[in-house]
Amino acid sequence: MSAPQFLKDCETRMEKAFDVLRNDLKGLRTGRATPAMLDTLRVDYYGSPTPVKEVANVSCPDPTSIVIKPFSGDSLKDIEKAIRASSLGLAPNNDGKVIRLTLPPMSGDQRKKLVAEIKKKAEDAKVACRNIRRDGNKNFEDAEKAKTITEDDRDKGKAKVQDLLKSYEAKIDDAADKKSKEVMEG
């Protein structure tokens, strides 16, 4: 691999770490109902775990409720079972045609716990990016030892990897701050 390939590899892997954080944050409950809250929910659909949005329409008629309308009436009980088994902490109300989820208002204590969880997820994403930096630096050092790049190229490459890390850490902080603010305002 060449120096530009090392950098591209680092950037691709850091972007994946950032995407994982973004998806985790999307699924977190704020004070407002969103269909994204159910993105991680899997329903047993003919023996295979399937995302709920592939077996039903998910909508939010108002800020405190979610309505799930299955494409097939057969999957209503499976969706209800998946919601009860999930960590959402919501009680599904099944009327035979749709499932309604009502989000109770969050207490100040719950909001603080959620913000702490957001901070932890952000820190995990940063640690993943730092590990990617370590791998990138090692690639540059190995290439220099193998005489495929010069010492100067190694140092420049390491500096670019560090800049990449700084930019992703800033993105991670920004996403976590926005979500924390959203949770506290709810």
Side-chain angles (χ1 to χ4, degrees):
M1 273 169 74
S2 66
Q5 288 170 316
F6 293 147
L7 282 171
K8 187 71 184 147
D9 177 55
C10 285
E11 186 171 9
T12 303
R13 290 174 58 202
M14 285 185 192
E15 187 61 38
K16 282 181 188 168
F18 182 57
D19 283 345
V20 167
L21 173 72
R22 239 191 328 230
N23 288 334
D24 282 353
L25 294 181
K26 230 192 281 181
L28 285 180
R29 183 182 151 207
T30 59
R32 173 177 301 243
T34 65
M37 289 173 62
L38 303 180
D39 282 355
T40 57
L41 188 66
R42 298 284 181 259
V43 177
D44 184 35
Y45 190 66
Y46 295 109
S48 67
T50 309
V52 74
K53 63 184 171 191
E54 289 183 19
V55 296
N57 274 331
V58 180
S59 63
C60 297
D62 60 70
T64 61
S65 63
I66 298 174
V67 175
I68 304 164
K69 186 172 183 353
F71 301 135
S72 153
D74 304 346
S75 56
L76 205 58
K77 290 238 181 296
D78 293 329
I79 294 170
E80 185 178 0
K81 197 164 107 180
I83 293 167
R84 289 191 191 283
S86 75
S87 62
L88 290 170
L90 299 174
N93 181 354
N94 181 348
D95 70 3
K97 290 189 174 102
V98 297
I99 294 175
R100 295 181 198 289
L101 300 173
T102 304
L103 275 74
M106 290 173 66
S107 70
D109 213 28
Q110 287 173 313
R111 291 178 193 276
K112 286 177 186 159
K113 281 182 186 166
L114 202 53
V115 168
E117 188 179 334
I118 291 167
K119 282 186 167 77
K120 185 189 178 316
K121 287 178 185 293
E123 191 53 41
D124 290 348
K126 284 184 189 179
V127 167
C129 287
R130 290 177 193 135
N131 289 339
I132 295 163
R133 173 190 57 188
R134 183 196 59 219
D135 295 346
N137 287 345
K138 187 175 182 340
N139 287 338
F140 279 108
E141 287 169 8
D142 291 348
E144 192 263 330
K145 282 180 190 160
K147 304 289 186 216
T148 55
I149 62 171
T150 65
E151 249 182 78
D152 286 347
D153 288 343
R154 177 199 66 194
D155 294 342
K156 285 178 192 166
K158 284 174 135 185
K160 286 180 180 172
V161 170
Q162 180 62 30
D163 292 344
L164 198 59
L165 174 70
K166 288 226 179 302
S167 77
Y168 274 94
E169 282 183 333
K171 282 183 182 181
I172 289 166
D173 283 338
D174 186 48
D177 289 347
K178 279 183 182 165
K179 192 66 171 187
S180 295
K181 195 173 180 184
E182 192 180 315
V183 166
M184 291 313 282
E185 289 172 358

